[in-house]
Amino acid sequence: MGYIKKFFKPYIDEAQVYSPGGVLRLLYQQRQDWIRMMSNESPFEPSPRVLEAVEEAIHKAGWYYDSDFVELREAIANYIGFEAERILVGNGSTEILDMIFRGFINPGDEVILSDPTYPLYPIRIEVAGGKNVIVPKILPEYYWDIKGIIKSITPRTKIIIIDSPNNPVGNTIAEEDLKKLLEQNVLVVLDEAYGEFADKPLTHLAKKYENIIVTRTLSKAFGLAALRIGYTIATPEIINYLTKIKIPFNVNYIAVQAAIAALSDKEYLKRVKNDIARGREYLHKEISAIDGLEAFPSQANFVLVKITKPGVTGTDIEWKLADKLVLTRKYTGKAGLIGEYTRITVRSMDENRRCVEALRKIMREY
């Protein structure tokens, strides 16, 4: 049956498959008392308005919905202060990113990334036939090497990707540095999946620059990860172009109604942002005070923790926390990171405290 592979596109056949979970995900499915601090999910239920909207929308599950998502685009437009014609809705921001890669990358085109970064990017770039050009970030803060990025631009460069706040570090790019990249003759994709948690999101730059494409999501601060709602902001020309790639009815009616309700509840969003900020500050302060651990400053809903005690690995911490029913994400060996790391999602204060206490006990054992 090996002959069938002759029909495969080589650059797709050779690409990896992105897996957000693994053994710990399977463990969680077996135990319902785990603390989920591994996937940057919201620790809170969605807004009560969302729950009401979902309950009402389920009765229309047999209907097709407006594939242009006019009502939702208007709600997003009101939320971010852009015209609806500059917004495109996707099945999570991951689908939007995939549309961008498929729409702009020809086989052999280059996309500049800065490791460490979201590991989905290079995989989906390869599926689109693109070539990943990696510019390592600058230690010790893992900040973007702006001069290095600009120097890496060639005639084959199509896109520069900036995720800010960055996953997994949690830091943000300075506005002036992003402007330097926007002054180059390439597309700049600004992934602001964690933008609601940042002190100063940079979405507004899409009002000035034609070559920026901003992607955002309702998965994080709005707590709608399972419903898959993302969107992009760009010029009307880019939006019209990407619309030709978009699959009709790519977002389901129930998710659309939930998103509209979520965007209308400003008080809920304010509470979530405040609670996450307090929890993030607590985790950063308390973890950094533990001998052998160093938490990075973050403007997302997680903290990256470097393990500085000799002989202790990210795998050690991951599994010892799992023994205490706390699930985190090991980041040892991930592209661009030097040393041993784990990433910890901000949860409720009770869960945050349980995680910190578990880390204290674990590190005292070494």
Side-chain angles (χ1 to χ4, degrees), residues 59-160:
H59 298 288
K60 299 178 181 177
W63 297 9
Y64 284 110
Y65 185 65
D66 168 25
S67 187
D68 291 331
F69 308 117
V70 173
E71 189 180 5
L72 176 54
R73 287 166 56 220
E74 288 289 351
I76 295 170
N78 291 333
Y79 169 63
I80 61 172
F82 278 79
E83 301 85 357
E85 65 181 6
R86 303 190 63 180
I87 296 165
L88 182 67
V89 176
N91 196 269
S93 58
T94 50
E95 187 195 28
I96 293 289
L97 289 164
D98 208 50
M99 290 183 203
I100 294 168
F101 298 153
R102 288 187 289 121
F104 291 102
I105 298 174
N106 294 310
D109 284 346
E110 297 173 351
V111 180
I112 298 177
L113 305 168
S114 295
D115 278 343
T117 191
Y118 183 32
L120 179 72
Y121 302 144
I123 294 173
R124 301 311 300 178
I125 289 165
E126 289 176 1
V127 168
K131 176 183 177 182
N132 294 296
V133 176
I134 308 299
V135 178
K137 289 182 178 171
I138 301 173
L139 293 169
E141 294 87 2
Y142 288 111
Y143 189 77
W144 291 265
D145 181 357
I146 303 302
K147 291 182 179 178
I149 292 173
I150 294 174
K151 187 177 180 180
S152 297
I153 295 173
T154 74
R156 295 307 303 268
T157 304
K158 276 289 184 70
I159 298 171
I160 298 171

Side-chain angles (χ1 to χ4, degrees), residues 307 313-315 329-334 337 339-342:
I307 303 159
T313 69
T315 300
R329 179 69 59 82
K330 175 189 70 174
Y331 260 77
T332 298
K334 299 293 184 180
L337 286 174
E340 300 287 334
Y341 294 85
T342 190

